[in-house]
């Protein structure tokens, strides 16, 4: 019987290696699998590359992981939000590397990775500092930048509902990067608010089909704060 | 010979933009003055607002006590969803943006150049942790890009320039500029003044503008 | 008030010009907007390029449109199915041009068009006759083909439910190419089984957000046959 | 010296494939003999079948009178959906295929070459309206590609060849071949025989195979 449910944070995160690229879902404080993200501290993996839209806020979740020095590099569109003081301190001290990526290019690079597309052209960033050193091409009179797929060794996502096959739904703006990252992770680990029986999720409304999911941990933590 | 004019306030600037948006348009509003546009769309006019984090049909801020903690916009503010709204993931959201499906994006800016170049994401890449968000995607992707900003900086330097001095967000992307002094269209012939506030004359407007302006 | 509902086939199809590229949803007999497709005959547009997975079946829908000679070129992955005799006859007689495209590349080329991506690399077709003349590139030791976006002047899709904003859901395997084409058409015209009030479709379960849709015609024809 | 052996029937070939699929795999089955695999997965073993037209969790054919006219598979046959199944659109479906998310694809073929090249979509591009469907995407995309086919053509020509004579579906894609005579792994060293039917010896198998085989 296929059963992707795991019973502990340790089980959910087992096998993540030093130097891994970790895709971390969420946008602002909504849709972040903070229990799993903070679980990486106990887990012990070092030298991580983290892909996330923001650099965390306050001292929880991703911000906490940064604070304890486990992240070598952040690939990110908007590290500077209210409360992202930990990242800013590390960055100014030269203790973390930053690859700044336009938000849509970030999403599309992961979508490409999930879809077997190694590279694609986009107009985003053409003629800007963020395209420096990248291949460009004129197509029908417009300049496009060639962007590379961005796969994750691990994706850490938050869902609203999950079943034992790993089918997922999300809640409201908690969807954000989570389905994109779930599909782009070689190992996809889910923190879900609700664990439901197989068949409870209408086949028409599954957002992430279980094929993209490896492990599901039930964490009914309630509403996001911050 | 000092002229008698009162520059528009930020809500007034946003109101001008709101008046110009027709019913049925799909619109993304950047942070800052653009965010103020949503509240000033005339009653009964259906404009559908998009938020980068996967929302179409974004509605106004919730009443106190009626906040849905799961529902925020790209500026991380709590919002509401209008009847008919929908949720989708980030790749689909930016496919809408990049694929030219938004009728309009309204952004703030540090500078706009006479060819429509826009600089709005960084004053320098060196001095602090830079952040770009969705600005570059929005600037190249929407059918129209309008900028709304103060005509000059606080210390009186022009923001409408021959060539941007700040790092670019996108090349030749802006189609219209709303400032506290004027409305200016970016055309193949150059910057054409579509309107000025009462009491301001063209010479004075040009005086506050680095790039050359064309009379309407 | 935004109201994308139209009252007739003629209104739904108005403005489609000779020589247009028309994306036609459906897979097999399921999810094909046959009333709109056949409406193109009355409408009169000629010299069309049609993009569809199949070449129609029997003498209805797309097969009928082919039969009356309105289609100059078919871009298709699988024109040869049981009952596709009209296409085969035209093709053997040299009266229709065929661009054969692998099914996934067909879907992805339209998805790229909808997403502002003019071209992307894929391994599909590398080293085969279908990649002849196309640019290729070695990336990490594997050969990829550069494929171009495939936009439509018009997309003709079938939905299960629609509202006045053009939000759509689909039914079962009737989903297929329909959402992909809805997003890739400059003008997207929908034939829907059910017209519902705004708000009746749960925001979490909208498959095609109304931004991709221009016109919706209510055609409660029942179940697909064939 | 004629040998005593009985080539496998098509259901037997499919049964061999079904036996080799572990629980939990995501599998796409091509038309022809591969389609027969689904019915022979041992009871209690959960294998999730994918169909190109946007289905995961494809179940067996419906009982007569219980047909859902909206639910067909890539071969346009009426099917059922298992509890836990899901629907998605074609671009997402082929993202699953192309992105390496399927553990296995099983296809029929006209020919397989010793380097794993597969030809299964056309005997000639010239003579009739060609059709490719999803074969090229499946062949390059799945983690493993197994071919199941008769060992020789009806007129006795070998299908396992040094180099395909028919138009290729994909280069160096096949990892294992199931025929009515043997199971053969495509390895960096060449074609390694993993099993033969009772009564057949290696020399006779080689005799019916153009490419060179390696004894297990």
């Amino acid at each position: 019987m296929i059963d992707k449910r795991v019973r502990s944070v340790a089980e959910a995160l087992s096998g993540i290696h030093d130097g891994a690229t970790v895709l971390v879902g969420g946008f602002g404080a909504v849709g972040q699998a903070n229990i799993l993200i903070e679980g990486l501290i106990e887990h012990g993996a070092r030298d991580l590359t983290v892909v996330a839209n923001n650099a965390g806020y306050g001292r929880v979740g991703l911000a906490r992981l940064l604070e304890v020095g486990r992240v070598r590099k952040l690939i990110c569109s908007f590290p500077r939000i209210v409360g992202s003081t930990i990242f800013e301190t590390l960055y100014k001290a030269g203790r973390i590397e930053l690859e700044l990526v336009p938000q849509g290019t970030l999403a599309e690079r992961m979508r490409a990775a999930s879809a077997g597309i190694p590279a694609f052209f986009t107009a985003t960033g053409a003629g800007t500092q963020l395209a420096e050193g990248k291949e460009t091409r004129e197509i029908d009179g417009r300049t496009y930048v060639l962007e590379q797929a961005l796969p994750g060794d691990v994706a850490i996502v938050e869902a609203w509902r999950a079943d034992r096959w790993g089918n997922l739904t999300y809640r409201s703006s908690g969807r954000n990067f989570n389905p994109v990252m779930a599909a782009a992770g070689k190992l996809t680990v889910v923190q879900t608010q609700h664990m439901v029986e197989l068949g409870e999720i209408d086949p028409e409304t599954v957002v992430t089909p279980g094929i993209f999911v490896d492990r599901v941990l039930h964490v009914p933590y309630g509403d996001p704060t911050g | 010979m000092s002229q008698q004019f009162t520059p528009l306030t930020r809500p007034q600037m946003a109101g001008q933009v709101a008046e110009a948006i027709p019913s049925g348009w799909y619109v993304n509003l950047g942070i800052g003055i653009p965010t103020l546009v949503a509240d000033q769309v005339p009653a009964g006019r259906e404009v559908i607002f998009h938020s980068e984090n996967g929302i179409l049909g974004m509605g106004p801020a919730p009443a106190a006590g009626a906040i849905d903690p799961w529902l925020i916009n790209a500026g991380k503010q709590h919002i509401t969803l209008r009847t008919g709204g929908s949720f989708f993931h980030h790749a689909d959201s930016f496919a809408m943006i990049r694929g030219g499906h938004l009728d309009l994006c309204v952004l703030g800016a540090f500078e706009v150049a006479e060819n429509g170049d826009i600089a709005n994401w960084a004053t320098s890449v060196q001095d602090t942790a830079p952040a770009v968000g969705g600005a570059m995607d929005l600037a190249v992707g929407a059918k129209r890009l309008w900028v709304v900003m103060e005509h000059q900086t606080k210390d009186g330097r022009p923001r409408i320039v021959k060539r941007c001095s700040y790092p670019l967000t996108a090349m030749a992307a802006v189609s219209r500029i709303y400032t506290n002094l004027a409305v200016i269209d970016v055309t193949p012939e150059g910057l054409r003044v579509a309107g000025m506030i009462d009491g301001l004359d063209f010479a004075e407007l040009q005086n506050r503008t680095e790039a050359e302006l064309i009379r309407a």
Side-chain angles (χ1 to χ4, degrees), chain A, chain B:
Chain A
M1 192 179 86
I2 297 170
D3 190 355
K4 298 180 179 180
R5 293 171 295 185
V6 294
R7 271 139 213 90
S8 68
V9 172
E11 194 183 346
L13 300 176
S14 75
I16 298 175
H17 52 80
D18 290 357
T21 295
V22 184
L23 314 180
V24 174
F27 186 91
V30 183
Q32 300 227 323
N34 279 337
I35 300 300
L36 291 179
I37 298 165
E38 292 186 13
L40 282 171
I41 298 170
E42 174 89 359
H43 171 279
R46 304 189 160 274
D47 211 26
L48 300 173
T49 294
V50 166
V51 182
N53 190 65
N54 305 116
Y57 54 93
R59 305 180 85 92
V60 300
L62 179 53
R64 184 95 185 91
L65 188 68
L66 295 178
E67 188 173 28
V68 298
R70 299 298 171 73
V71 180
R72 183 181 64 77
K73 179 180 179 180
L74 187 65
I75 302 178
C76 182
S77 96
F78 209 82
R80 194 183 56 208
I81 60 171
V82 176
S84 64
T85 52
I86 289 172
F87 170 76
E88 287 183 46
T89 304
L90 289 169
Y91 184 74
K92 282 177 187 161
R95 287 171 51 209
I96 192 164
E97 190 183 337
L98 175 67
E99 178 180 340
L100 193 68
V101 181
Q103 196 171 139
T105 298
L106 189 67
E108 190 64 18
R109 287 178 61 193
M110 289 186 280
R111 193 269 173 190
S114 77
I117 292 169
F120 61 92
F121 285 101
T122 176
T124 299
T128 76
Q129 292 184 352
L130 297 190
E132 275 173 18
K134 293 184 175 172
E135 178 177 338
T136 61
R137 184 180 295 204
E138 292 275 326
I139 301 174
D140 294 335
R142 195 169 187 196
T143 305
Y144 293 90
V145 182
L146 186 68
E147 293 283 358
Q148 311 294 321
L150 178 56
D153 296 305
V154 187
I156 293 181
V157 310
E158 192 199 52
W160 181 245
R161 291 188 300 163
D163 63 30
R164 68 174 171 86
W165 277 16
N167 292 310
L168 308 180
T169 67
Y170 304 89
R171 177 167 172 176
S172 192
S173 70
R175 192 179 304 199
N176 59 66
F177 279 95
N178 281 305
V180 183
M181 290 176 167
K186 287 187 197 76
L187 173 72
T188 292
V189 186
V190 177
Q191 169 182 328
T192 186
Q193 291 269 356
H194 300 281
M195 192 75 84
V196 301
E197 291 301 309
L198 203 64
E200 279 191 56
I201 305 177
D202 178 350
E204 300 281 6
T205 70
V206 169
V207 177
T208 293
I211 191 171
F212 296 122
V213 171
D214 297 285
R215 299 172 189 164
V216 183
L217 182 68
H218 187 201
V219 183
Y221 71 83
D223 290 332
T225 54
Chain B
M1 187 187 73
S2 160
Q3 295 181 27
Q4 296 300 315
F5 61 86
T6 308
L8 300 183
T9 63
R10 291 158 62 96
Q12 285 173 326
M13 293 161 67
Q16 275 204 317
V17 174
E19 272 300 334
I21 301 176
S23 176
W25 273 19
Y26 293 88
V27 179
N28 185 293
L29 302 173
I31 55 174
I33 307 177
T35 300
L36 305 176
V37 170
D39 294 335
Q40 300 202 48
V41 173
R45 195 186 292 177
E46 275 194 340
V47 174
I48 299 181
F49 292 104
H50 171 271
S51 185
E52 293 95 303
N53 54 328
I55 303 167
L56 266 179
M58 181 169 56
I67 287 173
D68 175 353
W70 291 86
L71 188 48
I72 62 171
N73 65 10
K76 281 85 176 178
Q77 300 161 311
H78 288 112
I79 54 162
T80 52
L81 187 74
R82 291 183 53 196
T83 299
S86 54
F87 298 114
F88 33 86
H89 63 56
H90 244 86
D92 281 350
S93 183
F94 278 86
M96 284 178 200
I97 292 171
R98 210 185 311 97
H101 303 283
L102 294 175
D103 295 290
L104 172 66
C105 176
V106 185
L107 293 177
F110 300 131
E111 293 175 327
V112 175
E114 58 190 3
N115 70 341
D117 285 358
I118 173 174
N120 84 338
W121 70 282
T123 49
S124 155
V125 169
Q126 280 75 42
D127 59 358
T128 181
V132 66
M136 288 188 179
D137 312 276
L138 285 161
V140 304
K143 284 179 191 151
R144 299 165 190 82
L145 175 61
W146 295 353
V147 162
V148 54
M149 64 178 185
E150 312 282 339
H151 203 88
Q152 296 162 282
T153 64
K154 287 199 177 102
D155 51 355
R157 281 182 297 115
R159 292 179 183 273
I160 301 174
V161 295
K162 291 183 186 299
R163 195 184 163 88
C164 292
S165 61
Y166 292 132
L168 285 192
T169 304
M171 300 184 295
V174 179
S175 50
R176 187 181 287 179
I177 310 164
Y178 287 87
T179 78
N180 50 348
L181 301 183
V183 179
I184 298 168
D185 284 319
V186 182
T187 76
E189 294 73 38
L191 298 174
R192 185 177 300 276
V193 178
M196 288 183 290
I197 60 168
D198 288 345
L200 178 68
D201 72 14
F202 181 82
E204 181 61 24
L205 183 68
Q206 180 66 74
N207 189 40
R208 293 161 182 260
T209 309
E210 180 188 301
E212 193 173 333
L213 300 176
I214 304 169
R215 281 175 201 266

